[in-house]
Amino acid sequence: MKYRKIFLTLIIILFFYASAAFPYPFSFTDHAGNKTTITARPSNVVSLVPSVSEIICKIGAADVLKGVTWHSTLPPEIAKKDVIGGFFSPSLAKIENIQPDIIFAARIQKNVIKRFSNGKQILIDLETDSINDSYDNIMLLGRIFDKEHEAAAIVKKNRDELKMIAGKVARIPLSERKRVMRLMGRKSIMTPGDDSFQNEIIRAAGGITPVLGKKGNIVPVTKEEWIAFNPQVIYGCGGDKGAADKFFRLPGWKDVDAVKNKRIYNFPCALTCRASTNTGYFVSWLSARIYRDEYAESKNRIKPERITENRSIEIDLEYIKKAGIAYSNIYDFPNKTLIVDFKRPMKVVSTLEGARTGITSVGNHYSPPPCWGIGHQCGLASLRSRIYKVIEKNEATASFLFTGADMDNLAVKMENFKEMKVYALVTAGVMSNAVRMSKSNGNYYEPGTINITILTNMKLTDRAMTRAIISATEAKTAALLDLDIRSSYNAKEYRATGTGTDNIIVVQGAGTLIDNTGGHTKMGELIAKSAYEGVKEAIYKQNGIVASRNIFQRLKDRKINIFGLVTEIECDCNMKKNDLSTEVEKILLDRKYSGFLKAALVISDDYEKGLLSDLSAYKLWAENISFEIAGRNIEEDKDFVGNAAMPLVLKTALNAIINGAFYKIK
């Protein structure tokens, strides 16, 4: 009996390890009730659901992802994936061409389900109706792609973030909790239904949600319900600004506390509209917006403010004592600081602080979104003092920059020539600074700072240090122009040359004396090359922007929404606007027509700058494109763009494509 028990125990242990080493096959039932068996790690996957695409990339399985919708924007790896249409109308032909072994689809994508439900592909429906659903989906995808440890780590991180926020909210008396409403809709005021995960997110952030007796992802709100609930905080994402602009000037709608007190916030759509790998991050951000003043008070803090972890960075320069990223808690939220310590005091030139001497540490500090409101309220001087205290630095001997770009997205670039060596340490965020929904000026800021630290193995004179700022700045601007980064304020007309809060630190260094770092010098060349490559890499890591991004993203960069243009069309025909927008999207998946529109973007920039004046050949091209798409003569050119503030060249191109689609399906 004794040996039999030992034998059974060994069998169980061996079975456990065998299951871990060989996770296939296994079976599960998806949200549509379909039982599925996975026999091997999938290698050819199409994901039509942005939250699923995000999870697949975050668990480290991006290599299997062969097609996504243009609505998928996170994480950065998504930018390099093939686009097969939009979430609402993915191209069935594009999916078939990929020949995926698995398709992740949503219940709303009925055409996809009808086409592929009985095919060779495995069709999986993973809906997210709650935060717990998102955890289950993350763990299931971890199992499917043999990334269970990575999936578990993501779930744990989100649970820990929600637990921390719950602890902070618990310190706020019930009588002081805020009424919060998620704004949705374009032409009317809408909000998530009582059973939506979005209201669960609000409650997790400590907000009081409306109870309207209506269920669903999105439900209408009457003026009476609006006034009765009287929201104290309102938030939405990009497209919701239209409803705010229209209604928040009208009696009743403008008379609630949130509008009167300007407590209206805008967040990235990739966070507000899904429960996925960033749920804890968004709940923290939202909660810190709702309770900005309360979280600034020391009595509501639950974690000691100190460094919790360090990660080293290799910089091969004689005078560097050590370099790395310090992770800390400030106001209970995870901050990250690049710290470069010197063996001896150095001169530096900082565009934030000017010329400094006796500096033993330079760096770049990242404050996460939950800290932004608190930081702006306290001011830079107070925030700097607090940060230096936490990272154990002295203001007299430290020179740091400050950013909203994540320090884990730091780019470290080195260029060398013979004995010369230059390092550029770069963080960059170039997404449009969000505007407040009821005003033109922003009430919060997305990461929008480019910070560059230049280190060399030569000793730069004062003249060389200041001239290095020009070389690095010109390189930064060249990177932005080459990526076609758009101005936040005139996105349709102009490319950006920087952000409004960029800064540079140049360290004097040690070694051979260098007196010139201009464009004709080898040192200037190395500074420019390292800065250029650093800016491009940092932008990719932070914002997922690459030069080869798809036409839908290029239009979004210019704040042009094809679907929005089409749905505004007024015509005396029986055509459904969704059919027209679907056809336009299908046309733009064709490289020939997306290429035409991309060319129009370039021509438009030159025309707006006065470099082109005669558009006659371009207009003929547009007419031919329209005729080719329609497959017949265009009876009457319709102005679908209307009176929108659209540059002439873009207006011509968009009208050509939409007219062609209109007459093709009319």
Side-chain angles (χ1 to χ4, degrees), residues 349-351 464-474 504 506 517:
V349 172
S350 166
T351 55
M465 282 194 289
T466 53
R467 185 60 180 81
I469 293 173
I470 295 178
S471 295
T473 299
E474 289 177 353
I504 297 175
V506 179
T517 55

Side-chain angles (χ1 to χ4, degrees), residues 421-593:
K421 187 182 294 184
V422 174
Y423 283 89
L425 314 181
V426 186
T427 54
V430 294
M431 297 299 288
S432 299
N433 288 341
V435 296
R436 197 169 65 224
M437 289 188 284
S438 62
K439 299 287 183 180
S440 59
N441 58 313
N443 203 37
Y444 82 95
Y445 304 90
E446 289 192 53
T449 295
I450 300 174
N451 283 347
I452 303 172
T453 301
I454 299 294
L455 302 152
T456 80
N457 68 339
M458 302 284 175
K459 184 175 182 179
L460 306 182
T461 64
D462 292 351
R463 173 174 178 261
M465 282 194 289
T466 53
R467 185 60 180 81
I469 293 173
I470 295 178
S471 295
T473 299
E474 289 177 353
K476 172 200 71 176
T477 298
L480 297 182
L481 296 178
D482 289 351
L483 288 172
D484 191 33
I485 304 300
R486 309 305 296 181
S487 163
S488 302
Y489 304 98
N490 308 96
K492 296 179 181 67
E493 294 88 0
Y494 303 117
R495 290 180 289 176
T497 57
T499 80
T501 49
D502 296 348
N503 279 298
I504 297 175
I505 288 178
V506 179
V507 177
Q508 182 183 39
T512 303
L513 193 65
I514 297 292
D515 191 45
N516 192 349
T517 55
H520 293 300
T521 69
K522 186 55 68 173
M523 179 60 77
E525 174 193 331
L526 298 182
I527 289 171
K529 282 184 175 179
S530 60
Y532 177 89
E533 295 298 335
V535 168
K536 288 184 70 175
E537 181 179 309
I539 288 173
Y540 168 70
K541 287 182 173 181
Q542 181 70 30
N543 301 133
I545 294 176
V546 293
S548 59
R549 60 196 181 277
N550 63 71
I551 187 59
F552 302 102
Q553 185 59 52
R554 295 286 297 279
L555 292 172
K556 185 179 178 182
D557 293 342
R558 286 165 171 76
K559 302 180 182 178
I560 298 173
N561 184 338
I562 289 285
F563 181 79
L565 289 175
V566 171
T567 54
E568 292 295 328
I569 293 171
E570 299 294 339
C571 63
D572 56 356
C573 60
N574 295 321
M575 184 186 302
K576 292 182 179 180
K577 294 174 182 179
N578 283 346
D579 291 341
L580 182 55
S581 65
T582 298
E583 186 61 32
V584 170
E585 192 174 84
K586 179 181 175 182
I587 289 166
L588 291 179
L589 289 174
D590 187 318
R591 290 185 178 182
K592 179 176 183 179
Y593 301 120

Side-chain angles (χ1 to χ4, degrees), residues 287-306:
S287 186
R289 276 299 176 190
I290 298 170
Y291 298 111
R292 180 194 62 194
D293 296 339
E294 290 83 353
Y295 287 0
E297 298 179 22
S298 58
K299 67 178 182 180
N300 291 322
R301 254 169 259 144
I302 59 178
K303 292 182 179 180
E305 294 194 332
R306 59 181 178 83

Side-chain angles (χ1 to χ4, degrees), residues 23 54 63 116 142 148 220 297 303 344 384 469 483 550 644:
E54 179 182 317
D63 60 300
F116 297 104
E148 290 181 272
E297 298 179 22
K303 292 182 179 180
R344 51 192 177 275
R384 180 193 283 117
I469 293 173
L483 288 172
N550 63 71

